[in-house]
Amino acid sequence: MKKMIAEFIGTFTLVLFGCGAAVLAGAGTVGVDAVGQLGISLAFGLAIVAMAYGIGPVSGCHVNPAVSFGAFVAGRMSPGDMIQYWIAQFAGALAGAAVLYLIASGKASYDLAGNGLGANGWGAGYLGEYTLQAALIFEVVATFLFLVVILGATQAGAPAAMAGLAIGLTLAVIHIIGIQITGVSVNPARSFGPAVIVGGTAISQLWLFIVAPLVGAALAGIVFRMGLLEADEA
């Protein structure tokens, strides 16, 4: 139960802070100094850093179904634990998106259809208007690389004190590169929460942000399960 509570709070925080930066302080925000793409990227990355040290000792701070799946494929997590983590993560993401909506809708100029909740997407009318193919490739590759960092930084022999910082900075870099492509998911729960509340196109495109991160995570998990990136024993 402690682990599920930790994962719920961690995923809630990631969605509220990361998507909140886009919705409440992003480039389209009226009446504030927009933080821009770099600021949004840092919000996602720093949220992970904070939660890594806040809940990491309890649950490992997965806050991402793809991370839990990668750990499972790598042989570091049981199927039962993975399912419990998934439940907590999806619930936390939905709660984070709901709270963000309640805050954002407190401003008269906010419109759910127009301003959204930081939902992921692709194609005409979405940020850089990249194609489905580009979105799919980006999400698979970015998640793979993200999981390589996570599984590598948390393996035996790695400097544990630095893991949270390395993982958070990696997520920030992924956002700097990919926001214009898909808004960056690499996390099915992060995509699920905003999409459920926004509906419409966000829901119809949600499948990619569930499938692609899981594929990328599985590939990374296989690499570590085969020992190709496991550190040699001293």
Side-chain angles (χ1 to χ4, degrees), residues 59 62 67-69 71-83 85 89:
S59 69
H62 289 193
V67 173
S68 300
F69 187 56
F72 162 71
V73 174
R76 300 186 189 180
M77 192 174 204
S78 70
D81 284 344
M82 181 183 70
I83 295 300
Y85 271 46
Q89 291 156 358

Side-chain angles (χ1 to χ4, degrees), residues 148-230:
V148 166
V149 173
I150 293 171
L151 295 174
T154 57
Q155 67 181 308
M162 299 300 293
L165 184 59
I167 293 166
L169 290 177
T170 301
L171 185 61
V173 171
I174 289 172
H175 276 79
I176 290 172
I177 296 171
I179 282 180
Q180 289 297 316
I181 304 172
T182 63
V184 180
S185 172
V186 301
N187 183 338
R190 171 263 181 271
S191 299
F192 172 80
V196 168
I197 295 177
V198 172
T201 302
I203 282 288
S204 68
Q205 295 185 343
L206 179 60
W207 66 269
L208 185 145
F209 303 108
I210 294 176
V211 173
L214 292 180
V215 171
L219 293 174
I222 291 170
V223 168
F224 277 88
R225 193 178 189 94
M226 294 175 64
L228 299 178
L229 289 179
E230 289 286 353

Side-chain angles (χ1 to χ4, degrees), residues 1-229:
M1 183 58 68
K2 284 184 179 180
K3 291 180 178 180
M4 291 187 71
I5 292 172
E7 286 297 304
F8 177 93
I9 293 174
T11 316
F12 173 93
T13 302
L14 177 67
V15 172
L16 181 61
F17 286 1
C19 295
V23 175
L24 304 176
T29 307
V30 178
V32 300
D33 294 324
V35 297
Q37 185 165 318
L38 178 59
I40 296 168
S41 301
L42 290 175
F44 275 101
L46 293 176
I48 287 294
V49 172
M51 286 297 102
Y53 296 109
I55 67 170
V58 179
S59 69
C61 188
H62 289 193
V63 300
N64 181 342
V67 173
S68 300
F69 187 56
F72 162 71
V73 174
R76 300 186 189 180
M77 192 174 204
S78 70
D81 284 344
M82 181 183 70
I83 295 300
Q84 290 183 46
Y85 271 46
W86 280 6
I87 292 170
Q89 291 156 358
F90 280 109
L94 184 58
V99 170
L100 177 57
Y101 172 68
L102 291 175
I103 294 170
S105 60
K107 187 171 184 177
S109 60
Y110 175 80
D111 174 66
L112 180 60
N115 300 105
L117 284 175
N120 298 115
W122 75 83
Y126 187 88
L127 296 176
E129 300 190 335
Y130 283 79
T131 63
L132 166 61
Q133 180 182 18
L136 182 63
I137 293 172
F138 171 77
E139 289 292 333
V140 171
V141 173
T143 308
F144 170 78
L145 295 176
F146 190 37
L147 265 291
V148 166
V149 173
I150 293 171
L151 295 174
T154 57
Q155 67 181 308
M162 299 300 293
L165 184 59
I167 293 166
L169 290 177
T170 301
L171 185 61
V173 171
I174 289 172
H175 276 79
I176 290 172
I177 296 171
I179 282 180
Q180 289 297 316
I181 304 172
T182 63
V184 180
S185 172
V186 301
N187 183 338
R190 171 263 181 271
S191 299
F192 172 80
V196 168
I197 295 177
V198 172
T201 302
I203 282 288
S204 68
Q205 295 185 343
L206 179 60
W207 66 269
L208 185 145
F209 303 108
I210 294 176
V211 173
L214 292 180
V215 171
L219 293 174
I222 291 170
V223 168
F224 277 88
R225 193 178 189 94
M226 294 175 64
L228 299 178
L229 289 179

